[in-house]
Amino acid sequence: MKTVARLLAEKLLKINALKLQPANPFVWASGWNSPIYTDNRRTLSYPALRSFIKTELTRVVLEQFPATDAVAGVATGAIAQGALVADQLNLPYVYVRSTPKDHGLENLIEGDLRPGQKVVVIEDLVSTGKSSLKAVEAIRNAGCEVVGMIALFTYGFPVAEQNFADAGVRLVTLSDYNTILDVALETNYITADDLETLRRWRESPDTWQPER
């Protein structure tokens, strides 16, 4: 029986929400060279996959964070997924901007959080964890407790694991980098040589350079 991590990995690769290009890497906004690019927003265009993700995120909330009484999505990638989960659970919903709005009330959190609420945060992707944890900080500053974070996918960088540990936030993900590599190799999406390149990148993504 396939795991959720493997099922999601197969589905993300099929719709090109995850692209692996070891020989022709992408450049992230951070300036890092990367043989992988993730765009989980594409999942919203596929009703069956969208429903699968909503169901699995909701399952994790119920199983791992049963005390949750509000849901927060991280802008912009997880706004929709967070709303879907909150709707499924019939819970209050907010989303957290990366920076405060530059007009009007200058909100950082859009929606109505009440001090003391126990909030689960929904994220689409975790890389270093810094942007995700800024959302956690904003929710805590609003007087709420963050019971945990659930993400669709993580690269599994050691720096992210350390950042979440330092922040005291429990992270649960539906799928991960190692599972993606396993599925990609078994389906001939990548070769054994590609696999080694992809593994080396994850060891030092900030300094990795493609072979010329």
Side-chain angles (χ1 to χ4, degrees):
M1 185 174 178
K2 293 181 180 180
T3 63
V4 170
R6 184 180 178 88
L7 283 169
L8 182 57
E10 291 175 352
K11 295 173 188 293
L12 293 177
L13 286 170
K14 184 176 181 179
I15 67 165
N16 289 320
L18 283 167
K19 293 185 179 182
L20 301 170
Q21 296 182 184
N24 184 28
F26 305 94
V27 178
W28 285 358
S30 62
W32 290 4
N33 290 296
S34 172
I36 181 172
Y37 187 77
T38 307
D39 182 9
N40 288 326
R41 294 174 182 84
R42 291 180 66 88
T43 64
L44 299 171
S45 298
Y46 298 83
L49 177 52
R50 188 175 66 222
S51 180
F52 172 81
I53 289 170
K54 176 185 69 174
T55 298
E56 291 305 322
L57 289 172
T58 301
R59 176 186 59 79
V60 175
V61 175
L62 293 172
E63 291 180 357
Q64 304 292 331
F65 308 108
T68 297
D69 51 31
V71 177
V74 180
T76 59
I79 291 177
Q81 282 91 350
L84 289 168
V85 171
D87 189 60
Q88 184 80 0
L89 293 169
N90 195 31
L91 290 176
Y93 177 67
V94 302
Y95 70 85
V96 186
R97 295 174 172 272
S98 57
T99 56
K101 191 161 58 174
D102 61 4
H103 61 279
L105 298 177
E106 299 182 351
N107 293 336
L108 181 58
I109 297 175
E110 297 290 2
D112 188 13
L113 274 184
R114 299 181 212 162
Q117 284 184 311
K118 298 180 185 297
V119 182
V120 69
V121 181
I122 305 297
E123 178 64 288
D124 74 314
L125 170 68
V126 172
S127 52
T128 64
K130 289 183 178 179
S131 59
S132 304
L133 291 170
K134 283 183 179 179
V136 170
E137 182 181 11
I139 293 166
R140 286 173 170 170
N141 288 342
C144 297
E145 176 187 348
V146 174
V147 294
M149 181 180 294
I150 311 169
L152 271 66
F153 181 75
T154 178
Y155 294 114
F157 295 144
V159 66
E161 295 175 3
Q162 188 60 55
N163 286 337
F164 275 86
D166 291 345
V169 177
R170 184 179 170 207
L171 173 66
V172 179
T173 62
L174 296 187
S175 195
D176 56 74
Y177 190 69
N178 287 336
T179 303
I180 287 290
L181 296 189
D182 289 344
V183 170
L185 184 63
E186 291 170 19
T187 57
N188 296 316
Y189 188 107
I190 60 172
T191 66
D193 287 342
D194 291 334
L195 179 64
E196 289 307 310
T197 299
L198 288 157
R199 284 175 171 166
R200 285 196 301 272
W201 169 76
R202 213 254 304 264
E203 291 172 1
S204 54
D206 55 333
T207 59
W208 180 82
Q209 294 291 331
E211 296 179 3
R212 301 296 183 187

